[in-house]
Amino acid sequence: MTDNDFLADRFEAYRGHLRAVAYRMLGSAAEAEDAVQEAWFRLSRSDAREVENLGGWLTTVVGRVCLDMLRSRRSRGEESLDSWQPAPSAEPDPAQSALLADSVGLALLVVLDTLSPAERLAFVLHDLFGVPFEEVGGILGRNPAAARQLASRARRRVRGVEAPEADLARQREVVDAFLAAARDGDFDGLLAVLDPDVVARSEGGVNSGAQRVAAGATSFAHLARVARPVLVDGATGLAVFADGRPERVLAFTFVAHRISVIDIVSDPSRLADLTVEEV
């Protein structure tokens, strides 16, 4: 076995852990895989013999890679299309993606998306994976006390999040209000039902923030006029039908009686993965 093969075997022993860290940081299995792969590239270019704690070293590297990705995402005000696919089967590793999603929970991922990159890293690394604040602070370029404060602030927000709204009647009220506002071009009406940090994801890209999402929704009034309320995988959503089949679907995630995520699906292969029922 060559030195490179030995190093690869050691890396593989940590891959699952690194993927879990990256997924909680980024909320995307595809981006998590990219971050883990970047960690391998950096390891292969380093002198691993000088690394005493390989697991800790790799966790730190993945944390820094994810932090850079989150900061880049925030600076653009949107995410790359490749960072999201609406169905687990569209991710690189369907079984692993499903396990990751189940272990994290949608409500947690939604609230993590509202944190700043520094808050998210401090919370994920310390609270979820037990990384000491000294190391967290080193990644952030801050002292341990500042890292502790970031994690504490994030913790308060996470503990305060409500579970995704399960009341179909309440969901329907919110969706009806969203649909009416979109049809009328009512910007303020849209803001009233959108979470301030709402994320809208489609095959064309991703927008975040209520102002951006509301502006986008008002420009599609012609589609809103023909959209109908439906159940999308058991939750209230909207669909535009053509020849009796859904041509475009809006799947919503609800938190605190507002819309926090809008998944806009029009690709036929992705539509086929959804269960859409007329109501």
Side-chain angles (χ1 to χ4, degrees):
M1 177 181 291
T2 66
D3 288 344
N4 194 60
D5 289 338
F6 177 71
L7 189 61
D9 285 344
R10 293 188 66 194
F11 180 82
E12 286 302 319
Y14 293 105
R15 182 180 287 275
H17 164 75
L18 298 175
R19 187 188 290 119
V21 171
Y23 185 74
R24 285 159 177 80
M25 283 290 298
L26 300 169
S28 161
E31 284 190 327
E33 289 288 352
D34 290 342
V36 172
Q37 193 63 22
E38 177 61 24
W40 163 248
F41 290 147
R42 296 189 185 189
L43 177 63
S44 64
R45 295 193 297 263
S46 303
D47 187 353
R49 292 170 297 183
E50 297 181 359
V51 178
E52 295 183 5
N53 179 357
L54 183 60
W57 188 90
L58 288 170
T59 300
T60 296
V61 170
V62 166
R64 286 181 173 142
V65 170
C66 291
L67 185 62
D68 289 343
M69 294 171 75
L70 286 173
R71 284 171 172 166
S72 175
R73 182 190 296 175
R74 285 293 180 97
S75 68
R76 295 193 308 269
E78 61 182 18
E79 298 175 47
S80 164
L81 171 61
D82 293 338
S83 69
W84 171 77
Q85 301 288 350
S89 60
E91 299 286 5
D93 184 344
Q96 185 63 39
S97 299
L99 288 173
L100 286 171
D102 289 344
S103 69
V104 178
L106 181 58
L108 178 57
L109 285 180
V110 168
V111 75
L112 286 179
D113 274 338
T114 71
L115 304 178
S116 71
E119 289 171 339
R120 187 161 183 163
L121 182 135
F123 175 79
V124 168
L125 290 190
H126 180 269
D127 284 42
L128 301 185
F129 293 96
V131 177
F133 283 122
E134 290 77 10
E135 295 180 27
V136 174
I139 297 172
L140 293 170
R142 308 189 187 192
N143 61 43
R148 185 186 302 275
Q149 190 173 39
L150 286 167
S152 177
R153 191 159 61 222
R155 196 178 304 122
R156 288 194 297 270
R157 297 190 71 176
V158 169
R159 287 175 178 170
V161 71
E162 294 188 28
E165 182 64 62
D167 184 346
L168 288 178
R170 179 56 180 155
Q171 288 181 7
R172 179 61 184 269
E173 291 177 8
V174 174
V175 169
D176 284 347
F178 173 87
L179 186 58
R183 285 171 174 168
D184 296 338
D186 182 358
F187 189 80
D188 290 336
L190 287 165
L191 292 180
V193 295
L194 295 174
D195 184 89
D197 297 300
V198 62
V199 175
R201 311 183 286 205
S202 73
E203 284 91 357
V206 180
N207 277 329
S208 59
Q211 296 280 337
R212 284 174 173 264
V213 173
T218 56
S219 67
F220 289 98
H222 62 291
L223 287 175
R225 293 189 186 97
V226 295
R228 305 205 300 263
V230 294
L231 290 179
V232 183
D233 292 338
T236 304
L238 294 171
V240 174
F241 288 86
D243 298 325
R245 296 190 178 189
E247 184 179 59
R248 182 185 298 248
V249 168
L250 275 67
F252 298 101
T253 297
F254 304 86
V255 173
H257 308 306
R258 287 190 173 193
I259 297 169
S260 60
V261 181
I262 306 173
D263 288 326
I264 306 167
V265 187
S266 57
D267 181 82
S269 63
R270 294 174 180 172
L271 287 171
D273 289 326
L274 300 176
T275 300
V276 179
E277 304 171 78
E278 296 191 58
V279 294

